[in-house]
C-alpha cells in the first residue's frame, strides 16, 4: 500500500485516490473504536457529522508530506482520546480545530451545527493558531487570550497540546528554518505547559522531538548509546527487581514492577548540568512499582512498599521525594526514592498506585475524573485563579509577559507555610519578597525582611520547600527598582512595576509644572504637539519620561532657546544626522565584502553583510547558526544550541534570518575550551604543545586553577572553523589524565 522508497531520509507518500479513501476510513474507524467506551446515545452520529464536515472542508488540502490534510485532525483526535483520555466533545473539537482558520467554515456554522460549547473551544483553538507567526506584541496578546480560554475551559489547551505533538511527530517534512522555529517554541512553551497539565509522557516526547531538530548530533549519539546498552540495562533491571518482587509477592500485593529508560532530553540535560559523559550518568532508567490499591489504603501501602525496598537496598535519605502527603500542583502523586543497587549503582524507584499513575500519564483529564462529585477547590483551580489574576492586572509588559508566565506558572513549585500553618505554593527560585506579595500586595510593598524558620533573613532570601515564613513590614518601606531583580513571580513583578510607575507619576507632576512654566515664558501652550516635539528631541519614549527627567534634573531644558516658535507651535532645531549607534565593545562588528564574506544569508543579495557574533554562544564557522535581527545592532549571529536560542525563536520568530557560513580559511575566530584533569607534573606543557606546537593554533589566554589534585583550565584560542576546534578537543582528550575537554560559552 505504502512504498518505502526513501527520498532524503523521508518516506514518499504514494497512495492513489482509491487507496486514500480506504485509508481515511480506516483511520476514522480506529478513532471510533477508541471512543466506543465513552459513547452515550446519539454521540456516534454527532462525531460522524463532525468528521464528514471536516473531511469535506479540507478535501482539496494536502500536508507537506503529500498526505490528505484530514489525516491530521484524525490523528489529533486520536491523541486526545488515547494519550490524554479526553472524550466525545474534545474529539469533535479536534476534528474541526483547523476548519475556521483554514477553510470557508465559520464559527457561526459550528455554533449552528454543534452548539455553543464546541464553538467556544474551536474559537479558542483558532486564536492559538494565530500566535505562531505574529509580531511579539501580537503574539503576547494572543497568548493572553489562550490563557484566559485555558482557565475558562482547559480542554482548549489539551487539544492544542495534542495538535502540537502531532505536528512535532511529522516535522521532518518542513523546511529547516521552520523546524527550528517550531521545535524552539515547543521546548520553550508547550513542553512546560504539558508538564504543568500533568502530561508527563507528552512533555517528554515533545522535549525529545525538539532536541532531534535543535541538537541533532547529540540526539543521535545518545539514542545510539541507549540502543547499544539496552541488553545490559535489561539484565541489570531484572537483577535489581528480583528481591523486591519476591517480597511484594510474599505480602500478597496486587502490583506491577518494571524499569523504563529516561528520556534522551533528560539524559542530555544531566550530562550538561553535571559535566559528565553518557557512561557516567547513573540514572539512565527508573524502576516503577504500580499498586492496585483501594483508595483508603493507598498511602499506607505505598509506604509499606518503600519499607520493603529500603530493606533490600540502602536509600539516599536526601533523595526521598514525598508527593503522597503533598501532591504537586498538577495533581502528581507518588513516592520517589534513590537507593544503592548492585555493582554500586544508584537507582531511582517510583512508587504509585494505578489511580496515581493514570493522573501522572493523563494529567488534568484524569484529575477531573477522580474529582467529580467533590466541591473542594483543588490546586488546578488555584493555579487557574492565579493566571486570571495575572492577566487581568493591567500594565503587563508585552515583551516580558511570556518570560514571566514561564517562570511563574510553568516552573516546578515549592511549598512554604505561613506562621499559622497555611500552605502557599510558589515557583522554584522564589524569595521572601515573592512570598510577601503572595500574601497581599500591601504586605509585599511594605516588606523589610522575613523570619524563615524563626531566623531573620533579608527580603531576597531564596525559599525552600517546607520553610515557614513570617514577613516583617514597615510603613516607611516602599518598592524600588532593585526589587525587580529579586522576585520571580509575575504577581510580585507586576505590583512592583505598578508601584514604581505610581511613584514616577507623582515625581513627574513637578516636572510637568516646571515645563508648562517654561513654555508659558516662551508664549506657547503645553499642548500634545509641543510635548511630542520635545519627547522626540530628547529621544524619549513618552510624556511621562520627559516630565520625570525634568523633575529629577536629568533634563534642564537649556536647549529650549534653540527652538523656534511658529504661532503656538514649537519647532525643534535641525539636528545633524546622528552618528550610528556604536556597537558594544565586547561584540566587535565584522564587515565583509562578497569576496571574503563569512556568512551567506539566504534571500539576501547585498554586497556587504554587517553582523556581530553573539557573546552568549561565540559562534565559529562550521557551527549551525541563525541570524537574529536586533534593534540597534543589526544582525546578531547565534549558534542553534545557544542557551538563548529557544527563547528568541519561540518569542520573536519573525526576526530570525536563515544563515550559514561560507568557506574561508583566512579569518580566525576566538573561542573557549575548558579542560579538567589530574594535576600532574608537566600536564600544562603537554596541553600547550598540542595547541601551539602540533596544531599551530594561537592562544589568546590561558588560566589554570588547581585544587585537591585536580586542575581546571580555561583556554581562549583563535580557530578558523569548527573542524579545527573539534580536532583540538579530540587531541586534548587523548592526553593521559585528562577527564573532560569541552567548549564553553560564558566568560
Amino acid at each position: 500500500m505504502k512504498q518505502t522508497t526513501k527520498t532524503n531520509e523521508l518516506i514518499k507518500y504514494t497512495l492513489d485516490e482509491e487507496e486514500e479513501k480506504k485509508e481515511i476510513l480506516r483511520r476514522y474507524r480506529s478513532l471510533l473504536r477508541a471512543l466506543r467506551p465513552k459513547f452515550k446515545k446519539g454521540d456516534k452520529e454527532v462525531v460522524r457529522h463532525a468528521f464528514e464536515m471536516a473531511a469535506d472542508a479540507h478535501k482539496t488540502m494536502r500536508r507537506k508530506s503529500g498526505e490528505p490534510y484530514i489525516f491530521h485532525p484524525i490523528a489529533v483526535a486520536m491523541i486526545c482520546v488515547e494519550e490524554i483520555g479526553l472524550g466525545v466533545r474534545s474529539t469533535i473539537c479536534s476534528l474541526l480545530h483547523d476548519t475556521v482558520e483554514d477553510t470557508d467554515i465559520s464559527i457561526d456554522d459550528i455554533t449552528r451545527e454543534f452548539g455553543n460549547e464546541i464553538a467556544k473551544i474551536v474559537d479558542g483553538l483558532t486564536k492559538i493558531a494565530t500566535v505562531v507567526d505574529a509580531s511579539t506584541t501580537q503574539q503576547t496578546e494572543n497568548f493572553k487570550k489562550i490563557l484566559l480560554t485555558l482557565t475558562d475551559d482547559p480542554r482548549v489547551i489539551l487539544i492544542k497540546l495534542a495538535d502540537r505533538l502531532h505536528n512535532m511527530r511529522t516535522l521532518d517534512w518542513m523546511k529547516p528554518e521552520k523546524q527550528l522555529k517550531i521545535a524552539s517554541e515547543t521546548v520553550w512553551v508547550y513542553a512546560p505547559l504539558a508538564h504543568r497539565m500533568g502530561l508527563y509522557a507528552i512533555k517528554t516526547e515533545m522535549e525529545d522531538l525538539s532536541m532531534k531538530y535543535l541538537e541533532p548530533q547529540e540526539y543521535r549519539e545518545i539514542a545510539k548509546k541507549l540502543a547499544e546498552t539496552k541488553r545490559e540495562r535489561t539484565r541489570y533491571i531484572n537483577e535489581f527487581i528480583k528481591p523486591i518482587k519476591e517480597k511484594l509477592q510474599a505480602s500478597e500485593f496486587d502490583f506491577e514492577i518494571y524499569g523504563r529508560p529516561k528520556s534522551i532530553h533528560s539524559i542530555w540535560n544531566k550530562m550538561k548540568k553535571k559535566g559528565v559523559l553518557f557512561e557516567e550518568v547513573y540514572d539512565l532508567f527508573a524502576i516503577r512499582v504500580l499498586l492496585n490499591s483501594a483508595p483508603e489504603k493507598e498511602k499506607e501501602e505505598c509506604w509499606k512498599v518503600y519499607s520493603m525496598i529500603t530493606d533490600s537496598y540502602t536509600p539516599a535519605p536526601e533523595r526521598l521525594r514525598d508527593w503522597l502527603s503533598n501532591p504537586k500542583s498538577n495533581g502528581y502523586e507518588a513516592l520517589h526514592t534513590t537507593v544503592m543497587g548492585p555493582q554500586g549503582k544508584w537507582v531511582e524507584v517510583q512508587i504509585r498506585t494505578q489511580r496515581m499513575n493514570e493522573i501522572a500519564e493523563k494529567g488534568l483529564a484524569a484529575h477531573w475524573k477522580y474529582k467529580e462529585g467533590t466541591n473542594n477547590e483543588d490546586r488546578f483551580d488555584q493555579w487557574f485563579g492565579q493566571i486570571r489574576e495575572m492577566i487581568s492586572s493591567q500594565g503587563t509588559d508585552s515583551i516580558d509577559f511570556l518570560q514571566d508566565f514561564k517562570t511563574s506558572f510553568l516552573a516546578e513549585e515549592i511549598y512554604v507555610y505561613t506562621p499559622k500553618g497555611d500552605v502557599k505554593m510558589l515557583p522554584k527560585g522564589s524569595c521572601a519578597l515573592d512570598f510577601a506579595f503572595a500574601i497581599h500586595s500591601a504586605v509585599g510593598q511594605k516588606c523589610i525582611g522575613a523570619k524563615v524558620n524563626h531566623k531573620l533573613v533579608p527580603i531576597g532570601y531564596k525559599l525552600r520547600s517546607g520553610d515557614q515564613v513570617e514577613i516583617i513590614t514597615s510603613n516607611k518601606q516602599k518598592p524600588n527598582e532593585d526589587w525587580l531583580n529579586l522576585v520571580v513571580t509575575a504577581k510580585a513583578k507586576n505590583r512592583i512595576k505598578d508601584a514604581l510607575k505610581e511613584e514616577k507619576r507623582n515625581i513627574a507632576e513637578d516636572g510637568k509644572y516646571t515645563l508648562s512654566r517654561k513654555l508659558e515664558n516662551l508664549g506657547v501652550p503645553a499642548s500634545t504637539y509641543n510635548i511630542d516635539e520635545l519627547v522626540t528631541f530628547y529621544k524619549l519614549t513618552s510624556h511621562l519620561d520627559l516630565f520625570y527627567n525634568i523633575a529629577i534634573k536629568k533634563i534642564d531644558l537649556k536647549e529650549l532657546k534653540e527652538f523656534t516658535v511658529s504661532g503656538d507651535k514649537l519647532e525643534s532645531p535641525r539636528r545633524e544626522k546622528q552618528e550610528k549607534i556604536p556597537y558594544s565593545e565586547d561584540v566587535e562588528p565584522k564587515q565583509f565584502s562578497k569576496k571574503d564574506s563569512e556568512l551567506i544569508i539566504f534571500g539576501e543579495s547585498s554586497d556587504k553583510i554587517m553582523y556581530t557574533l553573539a557573546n552568549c554562544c561565540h559562534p565559529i564557522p562550521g557551527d549551525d547558526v541563525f541570524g537574529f535581527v536586533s534593534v540597534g545592532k543589526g544582525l546578531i549571529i547565534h549558534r542553534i544550541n545557544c542557551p538563548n536560542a529557544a527563547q528568541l525563536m519561540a518569542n520573536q520568530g519573525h526576526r530570525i534570518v536563515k544563515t550559514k557560513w561560507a568557506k574561508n580559511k583566512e579569518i580566525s575566530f576566538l573561542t573557549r575550551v575548558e579542560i579538567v584533569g589530574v594535576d600532574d607534573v608537566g600536564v600544562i606543557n603537554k596541553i600547550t604543545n598540542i595547541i601551539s606546537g602540533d596544531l599551530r593554533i594561537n592562544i589568546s589566554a590561558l588560566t589554570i586553577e588547581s585544587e585537591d589534585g585536580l586542575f581546571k583550565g580555561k583556554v581562549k584560542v583563535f580557530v578558523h572553523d569548527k573542524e579545527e576546534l573539534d580536532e583540538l578537543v579530540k587531541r586534548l582528550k587523548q592526553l593521559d589524565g585528562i577527564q573532560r575537554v569541552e567548549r564553553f560559552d560564558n566568560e
Side-chain angles (χ1 to χ4, degrees), residues 174-183 649 656-658:
M174 302 298 264
K175 289 178 183 170
E177 63 270 26
K178 198 81 173 160
Q179 288 175 342
L180 289 177
K181 185 181 178 331
I182 292 171
M649 287 194 253
I656 302 298
V657 180
K658 185 176 170 186

Side-chain angles (χ1 to χ4, degrees), residues 40-59:
K40 292 185 182 132
K41 198 179 175 190
D43 281 349
K44 194 173 176 181
E45 291 71 21
V46 186
V47 171
R48 183 176 183 82
H49 181 36
F51 165 68
E52 286 171 350
M53 194 167 166
D56 184 56
H58 292 301
K59 65 175 180 283

